[in-house]
Amino acid sequence: MAEEGPPAWVRAAFAAQGDPVRLAGGKGGTWRVGDVVLKPAEGDEEVRWRGDILAGLPESPHFRIARPVRAADGDWLAGGWEATRAVAGQPDPRRVDDVIRAGAAFHEAVAAVPRPALLDRRDNPWEYGNKLAFGDDVPAGRRRPSAVLDQLLDLWRPVALPEQIVHGDLLGNVLFEPGLPPAVIDWAAYWRPAVWASAVVAVDAMVWHGAGSGVINRWAHLPEWGQALVRAAIYRLATWDAGGWPQEPEEPYRPLVTAFERLLAGHEEGLSGGVRAAGQTRSSQEM
């Protein structure tokens, strides 16, 4: 069980030597054993697909990855666990621009990866939020009433952007270590425009980590940036609602609606105060 750490035979299957040490994050189920990081697999098909892609990805001067580790039998799984090589570094949500740049380099490296059929078989709250954000068909009755989400949906407009495989949860999954390129870990795979993945970083940074609207303005040159931000915020709020989890506070998202309205109207000035205050609201709640 994840709470007890990977069993000895699983550690041996991945040639992981040493005492298991629980790591922060990863829903509390991620463990480091020597130079190997193990965690319970969430979807065998996706683990095997991701392992094959990352194992063959060339080294880059712009980002590192946590290389997957094969089990003794050649599989990417053993007893419901997956493993990667440990990578040095810590997340830093304050470095939002560096995260966006690392994500862009990663997305360029995987741009030729074909769309995996496994995405058609996913059914979870994140997939619901993803589909609602892009105007895809979603099951009725899976979201709770939300005035802010309704406002964001009112801002939604169709866009035409190329789609590719992307990492949809970068902000907490890019690690920084002095003297090394950023490391991209825990790949949450989606088939969406790369600009959307950058917008999710910006939204997360503004809502939960006190980033001001400068991040909006600094990346406003990206194609359809305003609509990408709208979709990122819809994705986050709709996922929370569809999961049936305790209501995510809507108040931190409310200033984003005004910010997005102004951006979409071509008026970017005067946005920082409200958005920064929203981020500070979450910071004070977490202390």
Side-chain angles (χ1 to χ4, degrees):
M1 294 176 61
E3 288 298 314
E4 300 171 355
W9 76 268
V10 169
R11 303 198 301 269
F14 289 113
Q17 300 180 356
D19 295 327
V21 177
R22 190 195 298 269
L23 300 179
K27 303 179 184 178
T30 303
W31 298 76
R32 179 167 179 166
V33 183
D35 67 347
V36 177
V37 173
L38 300 101
K39 66 177 182 178
E42 295 183 7
D44 292 2
E45 185 181 17
E46 188 161 348
V47 169
R48 293 186 173 109
W49 168 84
R50 187 171 58 237
D52 288 341
I53 299 299
L54 293 179
L57 202 63
E59 296 288 340
S60 169
H62 305 298
F63 67 92
R64 295 171 289 146
I65 59 171
R67 294 283 177 183
V69 177
R70 288 190 187 273
D73 63 0
D75 198 356
W76 295 118
L77 293 152
W81 291 76
E82 62 175 303
T84 63
R85 293 293 171 197
V87 291
Q90 296 294 326
D92 188 349
R94 298 167 300 177
R95 297 180 61 172
V96 55
D97 296 303
D98 291 330
V99 172
I100 290 176
R101 280 189 282 268
F106 176 77
H107 293 146
E108 183 177 352
V110 298
V113 173
R115 187 182 188 278
L118 62 90
L119 297 181
D120 297 325
R121 295 185 282 275
R122 286 203 309 209
D123 182 18
N124 55 43
W126 293 270
E127 191 61 22
Y128 174 87
N130 164 40
K131 288 180 177 178
L132 185 68
F134 280 86
D136 297 343
D137 290 336
V138 295
R142 287 191 61 176
R143 53 166 284 217
R144 294 176 290 218
S146 168
V148 174
L149 185 53
D150 288 340
Q151 289 177 299
L152 289 165
L153 289 167
D154 285 343
L155 294 176
W156 191 97
R157 298 291 184 273
V159 295
L161 288 170
E163 296 188 333
Q164 66 164 89
I165 203 71
V166 299
H167 192 316
D169 190 23
L170 282 162
L171 189 61
N173 290 311
V174 173
L175 310 184
F176 296 97
E177 179 71 11
L180 295 174
V184 178
I185 64 170
D186 290 349
W187 186 5
Y190 293 88
W191 189 262
R192 291 303 181 194
V195 66
W196 170 77
S198 298
V200 174
V201 175
V203 165
D204 288 350
M206 288 188 292
V207 170
W208 301 127
H209 299 283
S213 67
V215 64
I216 291 181
N217 301 335
R218 288 193 299 275
W219 295 94
H221 60 282
L222 294 178
E224 299 290 359
W225 180 235
Q227 284 297 323
L229 290 165
V230 168
R231 284 158 170 75
I234 291 171
Y235 163 66
R236 285 306 196 200
L237 275 177
T239 293
W240 200 274
D241 283 350
W245 304 315
Q247 183 69 46
E248 182 170 36
E250 292 190 349
E251 196 59 32
Y253 284 88
R254 197 175 304 279
L256 267 63
V257 176
T258 302
F260 297 166
E261 286 175 340
R262 293 178 179 178
L263 177 65
L264 291 167
H267 304 294
E268 299 177 355
E269 65 276 7
L271 306 182
S272 60
V275 175
R276 185 175 298 278
Q280 291 171 344
T281 299
R282 170 63 181 265
S283 299
S284 64
Q285 290 172 345
E286 291 182 333
M287 294 177 63

